[in-house]
């Protein structure tokens, strides 16, 4: 199928605006015409995931980003003109955004629909063909996508691949023109290694332990309520969820009191609550419980916020109660591993310098959170930390603008998409220069070198040297 898509891409040439928009429209129609089927498939995959949760996290957030991309295609496709004045004497220069060819997308299980549709829409906007490998963990969603795709696309436009980890490994080794992956840093490293065999460029959307700093001047009650609520989105199985919270030491007890009360109010029942998202499978259920047990055994204070009379965790439903963990130290796995579940760790800090040092001692996260005023302390926090994005006073606020780039840095990712960043990720910016001058501008670089060329080269070096010296002398 890869070769078929590539042959079709070469034969047809770069598509115009109308074709790109049509492909995006058919992609969205595939999703919107079959919303109920996708919601049901995802509920089956997770065990418990409500219709409202799937609509809110998979579809509602997706539509504005896709619409923004679609509406800007014509603008982004325009060539950038260089050296405009030189056109008057016969030198023409421009930079053309060109499609790469065939883009491979490896999707995750936590948002199995949105996180393949968004990169596919960006790849279509840039003029590419697309092959998608769906996650085998959410197999019902994958099979539905595989079955529906031929109703909306020819195979040489969009192809959906299903199968296990062996298929994913083979997919990652294909000689795509670009490979886009969303998942864990450990698997991302394997994907990058596989792609390197064919020198395939990659975009890696990974994760990490997202820190939250509650500022000394923050409203503790409001901050604790919002942070606790954010931790529970999709059962905590979100790459931008808050992972650990740094609170001024004097406010830790007050913060935990509000967080506990908020979680209790949110979930008066859990076992029979259709809005309480399950762990996606037993492996993730056991992994999260293992992090909690390890922390408890090593001396952490673990508080389970479970409704009265309910025995949690519950293996049959794969539900883990909201859990607050304190007194975490570096010996515990929970201090290093991304939790990806309904667990929040809370620790005190004595000064903002200490909090920032704590964050900088770890790999750069996908998002760094700040709860408090947008004052000098906040600006200092932004300047001194490194993360894919920064959100202040709200969950995933860095994703609110539809045109904002989304991506990590360091261990949390490589490259970005959403908005023009997505168009750029799947484009090659090709410089095209033509000369109608009666002489060659660059021919003098070939020997034999005439006296005029030698004089010119010496003069240019001397001029650059003097300019640099003058700049340095002013400091």
């Amino acid at each position: 199928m890869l070769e078929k898509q590539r042959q079709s891409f070469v034969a047809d040439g770069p598509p115009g605006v109308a074709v790109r928009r049509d492909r995006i429209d058919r992609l969205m129609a595939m999703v919107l015409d079959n919303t109920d089927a996708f919601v049901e498939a995802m509920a089956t995959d997770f065990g418990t995931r409500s219709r409202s949760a799937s609509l809110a996290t998979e579809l509602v957030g997706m539509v504005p980003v896709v619409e923004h991309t679609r509406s800007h295609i014509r603008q982004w496709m325009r060539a950038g003109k260089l050296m405009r004045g030189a056109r008057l004497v016969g030198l023409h220069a421009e930079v053309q955004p060109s499609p790469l060819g065939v883009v491979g997308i490896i999707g995750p299980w936590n948002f199995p629909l949105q996180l393949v549709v968004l990169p596919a829409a960006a790849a279509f906007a840039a003029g590419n063909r697309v092959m998608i490998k769906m996650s085998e963990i959410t197999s019902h969603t994958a099979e539905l996508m595989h079955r529906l795709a031929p109703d909306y696309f020819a195979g040489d436009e969009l192809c959906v691949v299903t199968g296990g980890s062996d298929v994913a490994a083979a997919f990652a080794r294909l000689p795509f023109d670009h490979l886009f992956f969303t998942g864990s840093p450990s698997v991302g490293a394997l994907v990058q290694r596989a792609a390197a065999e064919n020198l395939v460029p990659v975009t890696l959307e990974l994760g990490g332990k997202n820190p939250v700093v509650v500022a000394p001047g923050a409203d503790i009650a409001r901050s604790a309520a919002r942070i606790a609520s954010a931790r529970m989105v999709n059962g905590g199985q979100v790459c931008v969820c808050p992972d650990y919270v740094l609170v001024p030491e004097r406010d830790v007890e007050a913060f935990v009191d509000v967080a506990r009360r908020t979680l209790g109010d949110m979930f008066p029942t859990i076992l029979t609550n259709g809005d309480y998202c399950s762990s996606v499978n037993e492996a993730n259920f056991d992994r999260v419980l293992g992090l909690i047990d390890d922390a408890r055994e090593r001396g952490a204070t673990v508080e389970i916020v479970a409704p009265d009379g309910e025995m949690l965790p519950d293996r049959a439903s794969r539900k883990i109660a909201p859990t607050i963990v304190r007194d975490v130290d570096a010996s515990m796995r929970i201090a290093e591993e991304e939790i990806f579940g309904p667990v929040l760790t809370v620790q005190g800090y004595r000064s903002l310098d200490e909090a920032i040092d704590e964050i900088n001692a770890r790999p750069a996260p996908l998002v760094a959170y700040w709860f408090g005023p947008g004052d000098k302390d906040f600006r200092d926090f932004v300047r001194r930390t490194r993360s894919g994005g920064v959100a202040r006073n709200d969950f995933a606020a860095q994703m609110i603008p539809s045109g904002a780039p989304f991506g990590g840095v360091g261990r949390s990712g490589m490259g970005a998409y959403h908005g023009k960043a997505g168009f750029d990720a799947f484009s090659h910016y090709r410089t095209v220069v033509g000369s109608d001058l009666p002489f060659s501008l660059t021919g003098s670089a070939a020997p034999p070198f005439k006296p005029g060329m030698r004089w010119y080269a010496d003069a240019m070096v001397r001029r650059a040297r003097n300019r640099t010296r003058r700049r340095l002398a002013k400091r």
Side-chain angles (χ1 to χ4, degrees), residues 218-414:
D219 182 320
I220 295 298
R222 185 178 69 176
S223 300
R226 290 187 181 182
I227 294 165
S229 175
R231 175 74 265 190
M232 300 308 299
V233 174
N234 204 41
Q237 299 163 118
V238 187
C239 60
V240 294
C241 265
D243 193 289
Y244 65 101
V245 190
L246 302 169
V247 184
E249 282 189 343
R250 67 177 185 274
D251 297 319
V252 169
E253 290 299 330
F255 179 94
V256 171
D257 286 345
V258 175
R260 180 193 305 114
R261 187 165 60 252
T262 299
L263 293 168
D265 291 344
M266 288 174 68
F267 306 111
T269 63
I270 290 178
L271 289 175
T272 59
N273 188 340
D275 283 335
Y276 197 94
C277 188
S278 301
S279 294
V280 71
N281 57 15
E282 280 207 5
N284 201 50
F285 177 82
D286 288 336
R287 185 190 59 79
V288 174
L289 291 182
L291 293 177
I292 297 170
D293 291 342
D294 175 77
R296 183 187 290 112
E297 290 167 5
R298 294 176 182 273
T301 301
V302 176
E303 182 176 357
I304 297 173
V305 186
D308 291 340
E310 295 196 10
M311 298 297 294
L312 292 160
D314 178 66
R315 184 168 295 277
S317 62
R318 299 194 305 275
K319 290 186 176 182
I320 300 169
T323 303
I324 300 171
V325 182
R326 287 188 278 175
D327 304 316
V328 172
D329 63 42
S331 71
M332 302 171 188
R333 288 169 49 207
I334 203 168
E336 299 297 328
E337 296 182 26
E338 184 177 7
I339 298 171
F340 232 63
V343 182
L344 192 66
T345 68
V346 181
Q347 61 193 80
Y349 69 84
R350 291 182 294 272
S351 69
L352 282 175
D353 284 344
E354 180 183 336
I356 290 171
D357 288 345
E358 175 74 17
I359 294 168
N360 288 337
R362 306 169 185 262
L366 188 55
V367 55
Y369 286 98
W370 174 275
F371 278 75
D375 54 13
K376 180 181 179 301
D377 285 341
F378 171 66
R379 293 189 295 273
D380 196 45
F381 168 77
V382 173
R383 180 179 63 83
R384 293 175 57 192
T385 57
R386 184 168 174 255
S387 62
V390 177
R392 185 170 69 87
N393 285 340
D394 209 354
F395 170 66
Q398 82 283 4
M399 300 173 66
I400 292 173
S402 297
F406 176 78
V409 61
R411 191 168 173 79
S412 61
M414 177 186 301

Side-chain angles (χ1 to χ4, degrees), residues 192-204:
Q192 185 177 28
R193 188 175 301 128
E197 294 178 11
N198 291 299
L199 297 180
V200 175
V202 296
T203 297
L204 303 177

